């Protein structure tokens, strides 16, 4: 198949991880870097070996770019994704697609109209680990009545920058809350539920003096499936998960993996004993890039593998994150 020529829109820290990962992909190369700051784009391109730089508009006008990776701030994703799709480029967009479900629908509508792949980059849903976990759930190894507990957090330093800026859609829920929510959506779907049926309740948390949610918890449920999710940008929480059912439990000590490598193992505990599953690890950014390349090859508009992030999942994730944020609007500040 033809090599996918990538442009990175947004040469920041996360864009750097994608650039370093592309040599590990099977089908992609870094071809261009776009930014509103020409000097920043040029320095990034030199560091990572990209021959082309320019503004976002200049890159989208080029015929030698097949796909774009959007790694700008949350509030610019929609505009850039729509513009890229209109320009005939496939899109891999950093999570979340957008701060609101309405914006997500706009992006997906344009992808459908353009007939081009659009993929949301929840890295833990790509690669052998996600497929092995989905297989264990689909095979009902721990039974029914599934209950997930999952969290994702980190402790930021000073309360400054995009994370603490409401105008840039900052806050814990949009930055890291999507990890446990997307895990819940994916596992519920694997268990046979329609992600559209998932509802969010029991919202709690704290909004800081800057006006963004700093930590939050919630319950996601439907038809016997329940997920307790938590996130924070001011305190450390475990980046782990457990999935229990009527016949046992799956322990996921590092379910989300790292930026450099996917998670390496989980344990299925049942009355018949413990089974340790050790899938091959992959570079998650490379796996995301290859999912887009394969979708391009096959003429698909969505990622081709079951555990990845189909549009129905992106819609449900956006809806649940929006409900979570709305539920915290009345929370005390400070």
């Amino acid at each position: 198949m033809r090599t996918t020529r990538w442009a990175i829109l947004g040469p920041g820290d996360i864009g750097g991880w994608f650039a370093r990962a592309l040599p590990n992909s099977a089908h992609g190369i870094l071809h261009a870097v776009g930014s509103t700051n020409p000097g920043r784009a040029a320095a990034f391109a030199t560091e990572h070996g990209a021959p082309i730089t320019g503004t976002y508009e200049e890159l989208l006008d080029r015929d030698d770019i097949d796909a774009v990776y959007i790694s700008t701030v949350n509030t610019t994703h929609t505009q850039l994704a729509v513009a890229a799709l209109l320009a005939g480029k496939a899109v891999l967009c950093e999570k979340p697609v957008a701060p609101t479900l309405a914006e997500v629908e706009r992006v997906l509508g344009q992808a459908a109209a353009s007939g081009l792949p659009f993929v949301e980059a929840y890295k833990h849903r790509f690669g052998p680990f996600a497929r092995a976990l989905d297989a264990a759930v689909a095979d009902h190894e721990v039974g029914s009545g599934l209950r997930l507990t999952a969290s994702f957090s980190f402790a930021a330093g000073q309360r400054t920058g995009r994370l603490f800026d409401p105008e840039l859609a900052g806050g814990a829920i949009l930055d890291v809350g999507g990890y446990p929510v997307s895990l819940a959506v994916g596992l519920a779907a694997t268990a046979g539920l329609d992600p559209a049926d998932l509802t969010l309740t029991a919202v709690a948390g704290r909004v800081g003096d800057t006006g963004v949610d700093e930590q939050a918890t919630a319950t996601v449920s439907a038809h016997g499936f329940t997920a307790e999710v938590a996130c924070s940008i001011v305190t450390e929480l475990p980046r782990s998960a457990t999935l229990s059912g009527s016949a046992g439990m799956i322990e996921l000590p590092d379910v989300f993996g790292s930026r450099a490598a996917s998670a390496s193992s989980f344990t299925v505990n049942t009355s018949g004993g413990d089974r340790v599953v050790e899938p091959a690890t992959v570079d998650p950014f490379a796996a995301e890039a290859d999912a887009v390349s394969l979708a391009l090859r096959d003429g698909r508009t969505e990622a081709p593998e079951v555990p990845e992030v189909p549009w129905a999942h992106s819609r449900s994730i956006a809806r649940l994150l929006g409900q979570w944020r709305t539920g915290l609007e009345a929370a005390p500040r400070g």
Side-chain angles (χ1 to χ4, degrees):
M1 61 181 284
R2 193 179 77 176
T3 298
T4 303
R5 298 164 295 183
W6 283 92
I8 293 175
L9 305 186
D13 177 57
I14 197 74
W17 282 95
F18 186 77
R20 288 186 291 272
L22 270 179
N24 298 323
S25 72
H27 308 294
I29 59 167
L30 179 59
H31 187 61
V33 179
S35 176
T36 56
N37 183 325
R40 191 179 186 196
F44 188 98
T46 298
E47 179 182 357
H48 297 288
I52 305 297
T53 65
T55 65
Y56 302 142
E57 294 79 9
E58 287 169 345
L59 294 193
L60 294 182
D61 279 343
R62 298 183 65 96
D63 294 329
D64 57 348
I65 292 170
D66 305 304
V68 301
Y69 171 66
I70 298 174
S71 55
T72 55
V73 296
N74 295 339
T75 48
T76 62
H77 289 181
T78 300
Q79 179 182 355
L80 287 175
V82 169
L85 291 162
L86 283 169
K89 319 301 182 192
V91 175
L92 174 64
C93 184
E94 250 322 310
K95 55 80 193 165
V97 174
T100 68
L101 176 58
E103 291 172 280
V104 172
E105 292 289 9
R106 181 184 169 203
V107 172
L108 298 182
Q110 186 56 59
S114 299
L116 289 164
F118 176 86
V119 177
E120 186 173 14
Y122 278 106
K123 61 185 179 59
H124 60 282
R125 297 302 298 166
F126 295 78
F129 182 90
R131 294 185 190 122
L133 176 58
D134 273 23
V137 173
D139 290 343
H140 308 288
E141 289 199 42
V142 294
S144 58
L146 297 179
R147 186 176 191 88
L148 174 72
T149 302
S151 59
F152 196 106
S153 80
F154 63 93
Q158 296 182 340
R159 287 169 165 77
T160 58
R162 66 165 185 87
L163 282 175
F164 295 92
D165 188 345
E167 296 301 315
L168 295 179
I173 292 172
L174 286 183
D175 194 68
V176 290
Y179 284 103
V181 168
S182 64
L183 180 65
V185 168
L187 293 179
T190 300
L193 301 179
D194 184 345
D197 291 340
L198 291 167
T199 60
L200 188 140
T201 58
V203 174
R206 185 181 76 232
V207 176
D209 292 333
T210 61
V212 304
D213 51 280
E214 295 184 346
Q215 57 188 45
T217 61
T219 300
V220 177
S221 59
H223 308 306
F225 175 91
T226 303
E228 303 288 343
V229 297
C231 64
S232 176
I233 53 174
V234 294
T235 14
E236 294 285 353
L237 300 171
R239 295 189 183 184
S240 59
T242 60
L243 182 69
S244 58
S246 59
M249 174 185 293
I250 300 176
E251 296 181 278
L252 301 142
D254 183 30
V255 63
F256 302 113
S258 70
R259 289 180 176 178
S262 57
S264 60
S265 69
F266 62 89
T267 303
V268 182
N269 303 311
T270 65
S271 59
D274 296 346
R275 181 172 74 93
V276 178
V277 182
E278 296 179 310
T281 59
V282 295
D283 185 319
F285 289 94
E288 292 171 344
D290 281 337
V292 174
S293 293
L294 292 174
L296 267 173
R297 180 198 67 183
D298 298 340
R300 295 172 179 256
T301 56
E302 304 181 54
E305 296 288 348
V306 173
E308 292 165 357
V309 191
W311 292 357
H313 292 203
S314 289
R315 287 188 174 98
S316 290
I317 293 165
R319 175 177 56 82
L320 293 168
L321 293 180
Q323 291 172 356
W324 202 358
R325 296 177 77 206
T326 299
L328 281 184
E329 288 179 353
R333 295 196 178 193

